[in-house]
């Protein structure tokens, strides 16, 4: 059957509005009588907040209100998987990274709000800053959250790893490291909020990768029924994982409730990079065994993922990386452990590939190193180990359909003019 | 001296949330006044093109031009949950939900038209938003006229559907499970680079990609994803790093945190492997994340091929290359470990 529209290069339905400048991104939304927010952020990556003095800031002409944790005792923590992130850090509580919010400044203009932020005085009691996940895992390391610095541990075990390495003629063992990355969407975190006193509705215009999940998190944090939080999706200027987490949402809602006026908050790029999620840096220790004929026999991986100050997607990201540790290759014997570790760095969350991007750097380097050691063409080495229908993944999932991996190796080699004599 | 090299990388990506998470998407299709068919979904278009994909699927199933499809802008109060635009899942999940909702609407169009035309279903034909008896195609009803008649009967022409595939929670001790992810996308890239051994600067010259995506709903869009993902991968491989020392970010701006520009963009050749054998709509699988994953290792392997040194810590900056070359010269020519 020939399709008329599926499989065809139909023009993108949103292209014209974007090209013509008609598309409304969050920062393009204006209301009359609108106020602007700026956030006072942590002054130290790991410290108890002892005093916050807003007296000078609040006197600045044009400042309408400043909200601190004292004003919102009913508001709860938020977070995608674990609710470990405070909306505002209160007196006696801890700031855990430089993006933690201490106060919401509401003013007639952005400039006044920025100026007022600088007039807020903060006193802290500094704690040891843990920037290295290996330090965080040590027994004597101070706890960033009360339940320990290792947020999650996941395991992988298939076959018999000892037997697998015993069968190997060549074993390659290496440590790979990746770094913090920013998703760098063109559009930084931004939004507009309105509170309707009569109906008790909060309306938010904030770009979000998952409207209904964000709605639920905002609602539970504010103690509102879910249906009273309405989120309207503006045009989104890129996300790559960075717009999964709460950013401006709850601060906008609180400011709208407090002032009964429309409010807007747009991060600076600097603020976006410091306060909002990152790609997890991974430490990957990997050991791979193969026979002299070039067939994989054993694969062992240990992963340490730095999830920074808050969980975000971390408990899902790090082990998803481990679950992909062998790449698309048949290996009967697999063993792995993945640690998701808190530090005082900017929190890490979702970014394109969700842990498997970091892992691919390790497994595809290992495959290359092995191919060279064995004297087998790297494309051929991949091809002879690649999955078929019936192959089993590191999770022991049997692939029953849609396994075109060998064809991708052959076709990529073909269009690249790869000279290796693929069989 | 400038040295060229070539590297290969093959990757897999298990898409959807998987792992037993109740991952699903809900969508609906209805005939609305003004000559449009309204699709309701909360799927976020972050630039990846899901709204275009949904439009194509609905137009295909309902046999109307894409212009006749209107997708309601995302709104928690006008749409139901479609899950996140992440995990490479929207084409597969919301695509399936929209396909099924469109099929539901089409079935209802047949149902009510067969009443209007006093015919059975096989005697009916459909073309460009009109339904008619095959023995008298001139006597036709548009979907919108039919919707009016249905309304007079006290009913409406619409359908809602969802896609909710089962996955298994992996065993916590072993990570083993029967169906941990709904399916896997596979990508192979061959990348050619040129390394300047005096400056350590790497230029990515050519990128050859073959991607097993089941079926491309919109081939140009898939190529766009692959090119964008590859450029993001070039950033990860060669230049990007948010430097956080003692909790403080030292480069929180785009003058000191470098990302690739159009000047860093290589030449692309892309081939799509389409076996149409996935459970996605028309056999499609997702490409969003897999598009970026092979790039970094393919570049690392190409650099090794060019200069015989391997860098284990990303990003592979000129400084690291020069340092590694220096150490390599001291040691003699062996693989770097």
């Amino acid at each position: 059957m020939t399709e008329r529209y599926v499989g065809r290069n139909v023009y993108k339905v949103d292209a014209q509005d974007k090209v013509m400048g008609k598309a409304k991104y969050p920062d393009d939304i204006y209301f009359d009588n609108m106020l602007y927010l700026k956030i006072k952020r942590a002054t130290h990556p790991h410290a108890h907040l002892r005093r916050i003095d807003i007296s000078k800031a609040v006197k600045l002409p044009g400042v309408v209100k400043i909200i601190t944790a004292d004003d919102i005792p009913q508001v709860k923590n938020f977070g995608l998987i674990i609710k470990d992130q405070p909306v505002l850090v209160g007196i006696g509580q801890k700031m855990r990274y430089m993006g933690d919010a201490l106060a919401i400044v509401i003013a007639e203009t952005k400039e006044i709000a920025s100026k007022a932020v600088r007039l807020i005085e903060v006193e802290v009691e500094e704690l040891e800053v843990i920037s290295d996940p290996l330090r965080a895992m040590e027994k004597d390391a101070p706890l960033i959250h009360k339940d320990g610095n290792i947020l999650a541990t996941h395991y992988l075990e298939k076959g018999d790893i000892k037997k697998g390495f015993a069968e190997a003629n060549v074993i390659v063992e290496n440590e790979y490291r990746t770094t913090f990355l920013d998703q760098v969407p063109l559009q930084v975190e931004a939004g507009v909020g309105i509170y309707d006193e009569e109906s008790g509705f909060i309306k938010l215009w904030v770009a979000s990768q998952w409207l209904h999940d964000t709605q639920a998190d905002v609602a539970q944090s504010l103690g509102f029924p879910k249906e009273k939080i309405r989120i309207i999706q503006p045009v989104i200027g890129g996300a790559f994982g960075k717009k999964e987490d709460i950013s401006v949402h709850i601060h906008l809602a609180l400011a709208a409730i407090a002032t009964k006026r429309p409010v807007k908050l747009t991060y600076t790029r600097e603020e976006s990079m410091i306060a909002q999620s990152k790609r997890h840096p991974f430490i990957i220790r990997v050991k791979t065994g193969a026979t002299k004929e070039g067939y994989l026999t054993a694969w062992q991986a240990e992963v340490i993922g730095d999830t920074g100050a808050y969980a975000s997607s971390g408990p899902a990201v790090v082990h998803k990386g481990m679950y992909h540790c062998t790449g698309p290759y048949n290996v009967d014997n697999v063993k792995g452990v993945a640690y998701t570790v808190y530090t005082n760095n900017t929190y890490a969350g979702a970014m394109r590939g969700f842990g498997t991007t970091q892992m691919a750097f390790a497994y595809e380097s290992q495959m290359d190193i092995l191919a060279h050691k064995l004297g087998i063409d790297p494309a051929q080495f991949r091809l002879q180990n690649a999955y078929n229908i019936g192959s089993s993944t590191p999770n022991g999932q049997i692939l029953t359909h849609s396994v075109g991996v060998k064809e991708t190796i052959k076709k990529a080699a073909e269009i690249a003019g790869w000279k290796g004599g693929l069989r | 001296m400038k040295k060229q090299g070539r590297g290969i990388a093959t990757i897999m990506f298990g898409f959807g949330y998987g792992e037993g998470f109740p991952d699903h998407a809900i969508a609906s299709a209805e005939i609305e006044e003004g000559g449009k068919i309204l699709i309701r979904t909360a799927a976020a278009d972050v630039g990846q093109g899901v709204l275009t994909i949904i439009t194509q699927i609905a137009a295909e199933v309902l046999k109307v031009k894409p212009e006749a499809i209107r997708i309601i802008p995302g709104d928690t109060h006008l749409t139901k949950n479609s899950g996140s635009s992440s995990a490479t899942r929207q084409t597969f999940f919301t695509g399936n939900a929209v396909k099924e909702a469109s099929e539901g609407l089409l079935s209802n169009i047949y149902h009510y038209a067969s009443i209007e035309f006093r015919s059975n279903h096989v005697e009916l034909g459909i073309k460009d938003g009109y339904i008619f008896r095959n023995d008298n195609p001139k006597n036709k009803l548009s979907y919108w006229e039919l919707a009016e008649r249905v309304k007079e009967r006290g009913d409406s022409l619409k359908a809602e559907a969802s896609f909710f595939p089962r996955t298994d929670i992996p065993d916590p001790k072993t990570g083993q499970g029967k169906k941990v992810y709904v399916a896997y996308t596979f990508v192979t890239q061959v990348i050619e680079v040129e390394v300047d051994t005096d400056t350590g600067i790497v230029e990515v010259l050519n990128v050859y990609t073959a991607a097993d995506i089941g079926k491309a709903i919109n081939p140009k869009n898939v190529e766009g994803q692959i090119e964008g993902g590859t450029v993001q991968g070039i950033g990860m491989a060669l230049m990007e790093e948010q430097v956080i020392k003692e909790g403080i970010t030292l480069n929180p701006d785009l003058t000191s945190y470098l990302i690739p520009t159009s000047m860093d963009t290589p030449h692309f050749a892309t081939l799509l492997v389409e076996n149409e054998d996935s459970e996605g709509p028309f056999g499609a699988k997702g490409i969003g994340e897999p598009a970026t994953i092979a790039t970094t290792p393919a570049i690392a392997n190409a650099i090794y091929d060019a200069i015989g040194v391997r860098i284990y810590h990303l990003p592979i900056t000129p400084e690291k290359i020069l340092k590694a070359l220096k150490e390599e010269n001291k040691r003699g020519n062996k693989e770097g470990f």
Side-chain angles (χ1 to χ4, degrees):
Chain A
M1 177 187 149
T2 312
E3 279 106 14
R4 288 175 71 189
Y5 304 114
V6 161
R8 313 266 168 191
N9 295 324
V10 170
Y11 287 134
K12 274 194 159 181
V13 294
D14 50 348
Q16 194 173 341
D17 277 358
K18 286 178 177 171
V19 172
M20 303 288 284
K22 285 182 193 159
K24 286 249 181 295
Y25 295 90
D27 196 45
D28 298 327
I29 298 167
Y30 288 90
F31 286 100
D32 289 341
N33 207 28
M34 193 163 74
L35 295 168
Y36 294 85
L37 314 186
K38 284 283 171 188
I39 306 301
K40 172 68 179 177
R41 301 214 178 257
T43 56
H44 189 273
H46 197 198
H48 282 109
L49 179 62
R50 287 300 170 217
R51 193 176 72 91
I52 181 161
D53 183 354
I54 60 168
S55 57
K56 279 183 199 151
V58 86
K59 280 184 208 137
L60 189 72
V63 170
V64 174
K65 195 171 176 61
I66 296 175
I67 302 172
T68 63
D70 276 355
D71 303 314
I72 52 161
Q74 77 286 1
V75 170
K76 296 196 183 86
N77 284 355
F78 64 93
L80 278 174
I81 298 174
I82 297 164
K83 311 288 177 206
D84 63 352
Q85 200 161 353
V87 172
L88 289 172
V89 175
I91 305 292
Q93 293 174 346
K94 274 208 303 191
M95 50 194 87
R96 298 183 177 89
Y97 84 118
M98 293 304 285
D100 265 326
L102 309 185
I104 306 165
V105 176
I106 311 164
E108 297 289 346
T109 69
K110 270 188 227 178
E111 292 71 23
I112 295 168
S114 298
K115 210 169 168 185
V117 161
R118 290 193 293 272
L119 293 174
I120 295 175
E121 289 169 9
V122 173
E123 275 175 32
V124 301
E125 182 191 324
E126 296 181 5
L127 301 164
E128 180 189 333
V129 176
I130 303 177
S131 212
D132 179 355
L134 297 177
R135 167 65 185 141
M137 291 170 82
E138 286 171 359
K139 284 213 168 68
D140 70 329
L143 297 185
I144 295 166
H145 293 268
K146 62 177 179 0
D147 292 333
N149 293 338
I150 300 177
L151 168 62
T153 307
H154 289 85
Y155 302 94
L156 195 57
E157 196 163 357
K158 188 176 98 168
D160 181 344
I161 197 76
K162 273 189 190 160
K163 183 173 149 270
F165 282 118
E167 286 166 8
N169 300 112
V170 179
I171 293 171
V172 165
E173 196 170 357
N174 287 301
E175 181 180 295
Y176 299 87
R177 289 193 182 214
T178 69
T179 57
F180 281 109
L181 298 182
D182 194 281
Q183 299 86 342
V184 200
L186 271 179
Q187 173 196 98
V188 291
E189 294 69 19
V192 173
I194 283 180
Y195 175 61
D196 182 60
E197 253 183 298
E198 223 166 272
S199 63
F201 261 85
I202 291 167
K203 261 195 200 178
L204 297 170
W205 287 259
V206 187
S208 165
Q209 286 176 248
W210 188 355
L211 280 180
H212 291 84
D213 194 64
T214 303
Q215 176 198 26
D217 205 4
V218 173
Q220 72 77 28
S221 173
L222 295 174
F224 270 54
K226 200 177 170 186
E227 65 273 17
K228 297 258 171 170
I229 307 290
R230 180 170 181 181
I231 307 180
I232 299 161
Q233 187 80 277
V235 177
I236 306 170
F240 308 110
K242 200 168 187 170
K243 292 187 171 78
E244 293 208 3
D245 300 274
I246 294 284
S247 58
V248 297
H249 313 70
I250 300 171
H251 293 156
L252 281 172
L254 290 168
I257 295 167
T259 61
K260 318 283 190 291
R261 285 169 67 178
V263 288
K264 179 185 251 186
L265 173 54
T266 304
Y267 285 5
T268 61
R269 177 65 65 180
E270 181 177 2
E271 199 172 16
S272 171
M273 290 186 73
I274 293 169
Q276 209 65 19
S277 84
K278 309 262 75 74
R279 187 190 284 289
H280 286 77
F282 274 15
I283 298 168
I284 305 168
R285 294 165 182 152
V286 54
K287 185 175 165 187
T288 312
T291 62
K292 59 182 185 302
E293 293 80 19
Y295 290 93
L296 297 166
T297 59
W299 202 295
Q300 190 168 354
E302 182 188 9
V303 187
I304 296 158
D306 178 354
T307 208
Y310 296 102
S312 178
S313 304
V317 168
V318 182
H319 80 263
K320 183 161 186 176
M322 176 180 68
Y323 285 174
H324 286 66
C325 68
T326 64
Y329 306 112
N330 294 305
V331 190
D332 289 339
N333 309 295
V334 182
K335 195 172 161 79
V337 59
Y339 303 101
T340 308
V341 182
Y342 281 129
T343 64
N344 294 120
N345 298 322
T346 296
Y347 75 87
M351 183 173 170
R352 205 173 193 175
F354 214 72
T356 77
T357 312
Q358 295 93 313
M359 187 53 75
F361 171 55
Y363 68 72
E364 280 303 273
S365 295
Q366 288 288 98
M367 288 299 283
D368 230 50
I369 294 165
L370 274 168
H372 289 296
K373 280 214 161 193
L374 291 160
I376 303 175
D377 174 82
Q380 174 62 37
F381 182 54
R382 285 168 172 82
L383 188 63
Q384 71 188 37
N385 284 287
Y387 288 160
N388 287 311
I389 299 277
S391 286
S392 152
T393 67
N395 296 106
Q397 177 174 344
I398 307 293
L399 300 175
T400 56
H401 64 281
S402 201
V403 186
V405 56
K406 285 193 170 176
E407 222 174 319
T408 70
I409 298 170
K410 286 180 192 162
K411 293 288 182 198
E414 189 185 312
I415 58 175
W418 186 277
K419 288 181 186 62
L422 297 185
R423 291 193 296 272
Chain B
M1 192 163 60
K2 287 188 173 177
K3 290 185 169 178
Q4 294 196 351
R6 176 146 82 164
I8 185 170
T10 303
I11 65 94
M12 67 172 178
F13 184 76
F15 60 82
Y17 276 94
E19 303 182 22
F21 190 89
D23 197 6
H24 62 275
I26 308 171
S28 69
E30 62 199 88
I31 302 294
E32 70 167 356
E33 286 171 20
K36 298 274 184 187
I37 296 171
L38 180 68
I39 304 292
R40 288 178 193 265
T41 163
D45 198 320
V46 295
Q48 87 279 33
V50 64
L51 298 183
T52 307
I53 299 305
I54 288 167
T55 300
Q56 288 177 254
I57 290 171
E60 187 70 50
V61 171
L62 289 160
K63 301 177 201 297
V64 294
K65 291 193 167 65
E67 294 76 33
I69 304 296
R70 185 173 83 89
I71 302 171
I72 207 159
D75 184 325
T76 51
H77 285 53
L78 299 177
T79 60
K80 290 187 184 170
N81 180 35
S82 298
S84 70
S85 285
S86 65
T88 306
R89 58 179 290 292
Q90 285 296 11
T91 293
F92 198 85
F93 280 74
T94 298
N96 262 335
V98 167
K99 182 166 181 276
E100 197 154 309
S102 301
E103 286 163 353
L105 177 57
L106 187 69
S107 308
N108 275 303
I109 289 169
Y110 271 101
H111 176 77
Y112 287 106
S114 77
I115 296 170
E116 294 296 329
F117 287 113
R118 301 182 183 193
S119 73
N120 70 29
H121 295 65
V122 291
E123 291 167 343
L124 292 172
I126 278 191
K127 203 180 173 202
D128 291 333
Y130 286 92
I131 188 157
F132 44 83
R133 274 178 73 131
N134 286 322
D135 58 4
N136 184 13
K138 279 190 185 151
N139 179 25
K140 60 187 180 181
L141 266 181
S142 78
Y143 291 175
W144 294 270
E145 289 164 338
L146 180 65
E148 280 300 310
R149 306 255 183 111
V150 173
K151 205 172 159 189
E152 283 161 21
R153 293 176 190 276
D155 211 342
S156 59
L157 267 186
K158 61 180 177 189
E160 183 180 282
S162 60
F163 181 66
F164 202 147
R166 190 189 73 111
T167 56
D168 299 319
I169 300 170
D171 183 300
K173 287 198 188 91
T174 64
Q176 301 299 291
K178 201 172 167 210
K179 189 173 188 183
V180 178
Y181 300 105
V182 290
Y184 286 84
T185 295
F186 302 98
V187 175
T188 296
Q189 285 194 316
V190 173
I191 295 186
E192 290 166 348
V193 303
E194 186 171 82
V195 186
D196 186 325
T197 56
D198 298 318
T199 63
I201 291 172
V202 177
E203 191 182 346
V204 180
L205 304 173
N206 294 301
V207 175
Y208 306 93
T209 308
D212 166 26
I213 41 91
K215 163 84 176 173
I217 304 290
N218 189 318
K220 201 50 110 184
N221 201 57
V222 173
E223 279 178 42
Q225 285 273 44
I226 288 169
E227 293 180 11
T230 300
V231 172
Q232 216 163 21
I234 291 172
M236 177 170 171
L238 299 177
M239 61 192 87
E240 291 189 42
E241 178 178 14
Q242 182 162 335
V243 182
I244 305 181
K245 286 267 182 297
E246 292 300 299
I248 310 288
T249 293
L250 303 182
N251 56 343
D253 55 66
L254 297 180
T255 45
S256 50
Y257 181 97
L258 298 183
I259 58 172
T261 68
S262 56
M263 297 299 287
D264 302 302
T265 303
H267 172 259
F268 288 97
T270 300
L271 195 139
L272 304 180
V273 174
E274 296 179 283
N275 292 328
E276 302 187 16
D277 56 347
S278 115
E279 290 159 351
F282 300 91
K285 298 194 278 192
I287 185 63
E289 291 167 278
T292 199
I293 299 170
T295 305
T296 293
I299 289 173
N301 293 340
I303 291 170
Y304 176 78
D305 186 50
I307 58 172
V309 298
R310 192 172 284 282
I311 310 294
Y312 298 88
H313 295 191
L314 294 177
I316 307 172
T317 56
E319 293 77 14
K320 287 182 193 165
I321 286 180
L322 291 179
K323 190 166 169 249
L325 279 173
K326 213 170 166 185
E327 284 165 10
E328 188 66 14
N329 284 340
K330 274 188 215 157
R331 237 195 350 245
N333 242 0
K334 280 184 182 171
E335 173 113 27
F337 46 74

